[in-house]
Amino acid sequence: MINTDVAAPHGSGEAGKGDRIGKRPEDRAGANLPDYEQAVRTFSWAGARALLDGLPGAGLNIAYEAVDRHVNAGRGGQLALRWIARNDTIRDFTYSALAAQANRFANTLVRHGITKGDRVFSLLGRVPELYIAALGTLKNGSVFSPLFSAFGPEPIKARMTIGEAKALVTTEAFYRRKIEPWRKELTSLERVFLVECSANPPPDTIDLAAALAQASDVFDTVFTRPEDMALLHFTSGTTGKPKGAVHVHEAVVAHNVTGRLALDFRPADIFWCTADPGWVTGTSYGIISPLTNGVTMIVDQAEFDAERWYRILQDQKVTVWYTAPTAIRMLMKAGAGLARKFDLSTLRLMASVGEPLNPEAVVWGVDAIGKPFHDNWWQTETGGIMITNFLSMDVKPGSMGRPLPGIEAGIVERSNGGDLREITKPMAMGELALRPGWPSMMRGYLNEEARYRKCFADGWYLTGDLAMRDSEGYYWFIGRADDVIKSSGHLIGPFEVETALMEHKAVAEAGVIGVPEPTAGEMVKAYVALNPGFAPSETLRKELIGHARQRLGPAVAPKDIAFRQNLPKTRSGKIMRRLLKARELGLPEGDISTLESEER
Ligand code: AMP
C-alpha cells in the first residue's frame, strides 16, 4: 500500500504514525534487507568482509574487489559502465574492459615512477578516464584523491599541497587555466597526465591516451593491507584549511555491504548515481559500491537537465537511482507533468543524499514517479551510508531513516563539565554521534592529528550535525552544529571563501554564511568591511564577486556580497558568523555575551 496523502512536517514533534509512506509486503519480501530488526541482530562486519575475496596473505584492495574479482569469477562480460557523452554518444565498458583499462593506467603510473602510497589526484568532469584512473591508481597501491572540476585554482592548489600530490590527471584546458600558473610552487607534483591533449600540449605534461595505448593491459594488483591508505577526500571545516579525510582499503567492506543493504543492489541492476566523483558520494557510490556489487553503472557527462535525466532513466531502464535534494527540487520545478511523459516503470528504488530532503520532495516522488525518495545520511568522514530509509521499511517523509546494521548511532549533548551525555528521550535535539569502528570510517585528517582527535569524545564520533531520534528509531536532521555551508549539496568552508575575499585589496574583513535558498538549500553570502580609501558601490560588489569566482570557482564563490562598516566580532577578534546569520534571517541573536561592545 502506498499512501500518497502524507503530509509529514519536517522535524515535527513526536513522529505521528500516520506520517508515513507504507511499504507493500512484496517490497519487504524481495529486499536485500527484508526485516530491519533481524538484520541488526544478525549482522557482523566479519560477515560483510566474507562477501569479498581479499588478496592472498590477508591483503585487501578496493580495485581488485571492484573489477578483477568479477573477471576472475567469469563475470567479465557483464556491462560495468555505460558512459553517455554530452552529445549522447555511448561508450560501454564490460568488467573485463574496465579491468584492462585500469591495468593500462596502473602500468602507466609504474612507468612514470608513481608507486605505492603516492598521491594521484584527478581534476576531471565525468569522463571514462576518471573511472579508469581511480581504479588503476588503487590497483597500483597509490592513493586516489578526486577534486571537483568546478573548483577554481585556489581550492585545487590548497588540496594538492596538503595532499602532497605526486601525479595529476586532468584535461589540457583545466591544466592551462587552473594548474599551470602555480605548478612550479608544488614541488611534489612530478607527473601531469592530460586527457584530451592538443597537438601542442603544455611543457612537462604527458598525453594520457598515448600512454595508455602503449601500456600493457595486464597488471598484478599491488599487495595492499586493509589499513593501507587508499582514498583522500577533502572536506571543509569552519576554520582553517580544508581537511584531507584518510580512507583505507578496508573501507571497501562498508562500500560493498551498504550498497547491498541501503541501495538494495542486485546483480541485474542498472544503477545511476548522479553525484560527481569529485565528491565522496561520487566515489563511494559512483564507482566502488556499484562495481563491487557487480551492477551496471550509468554515467552521464552532461550537467543537469530535467528532460535529459528522465530520458536517461527511461531509455537506460535504470532500476536504482541515487541523487540529491537540489536535483529533486529542480525536477519538481520542471513539474510532475514532465515526469509522467516518460516510462519510468523500471525504477524500483530512488534514493537521495547530501542535504536535507524536504518531506514535500519525498511525497512528490510518489505523485510524479510512483515511488518515494529514500533519504539517507552520511558524510565524507564516515566514508559510506550510515543512516537510511531501507526499501523494506516505511518511509517517514522528512526523516533520514534508521542506522545501518553494524552502525550504532546516538543523540548526545555536552554537559557543563564537558562530558557527553546520551539523550534517549524521543525527539530531543542533540548532536548526532556514531560509535567508531566501521570499516569506512576515516583513519585521520591528513597531518592534522589534533583536528581529528577533536571529533571524538567518550567513545563517540561527533558528526557536527544536530538531529533527533523518534520513538521508532528514525533520525531527523535539524541542522549543522557549526558554520559550514551546504549549497547544491557541496560542503563549503566559510574560512576558505573569507580568505579569498581578504586577498582583494579593498577588503579589510570578511564573514561568510549560508542563507536559505529554495532550490540549492543554501546560498553563499559574504559580508565585507572595506579598507580605508574604498567605498561600497555596485561596481566594487561585482568586482569582488568576480575576484572570488576567479579564485574559488563558481561552486564555492559567494553569490551575494553585502558591505558593512564593521563585522560583529568576539572580544578575541573572531567574526561571529552565527550573529551575521541571525541578523540576516531576522532571528533572535542568542547569547551575545562575548560580542565586542563597540560593534553593537
Ligand atoms: P559531505 O561530507 O560533503 O558529504 O557533507 C556531509 C554533510 O552533509 C553532513 O554532515 C550533513 O550536514 C549533510 N547531509 C548529508 N546527508 C544529509 C541528509 N540526508 N539530510 C541532511 N543533511 C545531510
Side-chain angles (χ1 to χ4, degrees), residues 514-525:
V515 297
E517 201 276 337
T519 305
E522 283 188 302
M523 177 191 89
V524 180
K525 177 164 182 175

Side-chain angles (χ1 to χ4, degrees), residues 135-174:
L135 295 166
T137 298
L138 294 167
K139 288 191 101 172
N140 191 43
S142 309
V143 176
F144 184 66
S145 187
L147 295 174
F148 187 40
S149 58
F151 278 155
E154 290 205 1
I156 294 169
K157 182 179 173 191
R159 285 157 179 78
M160 287 179 65
T161 305
I162 295 167
E164 294 162 87
K166 191 153 177 190
L168 170 71
V169 189
T170 188
T171 64
E172 183 170 340
F174 285 155

Side-chain angles (χ1 to χ4, degrees), residues 235 279-280 353-357 375-381 400 463 465 477 480 486 491:
T235 185
W279 301 93
V280 71
V353 73
E355 22 159 353
L357 182 64
D375 189 17
N376 60 54
W377 178 96
W378 59 291
Q379 51 182 199
T380 303
E381 288 83 347
M400 309 186 289
T463 67
D465 281 358
F477 181 82
R480 291 286 310 187
K486 256 281 155 121
L491 201 73

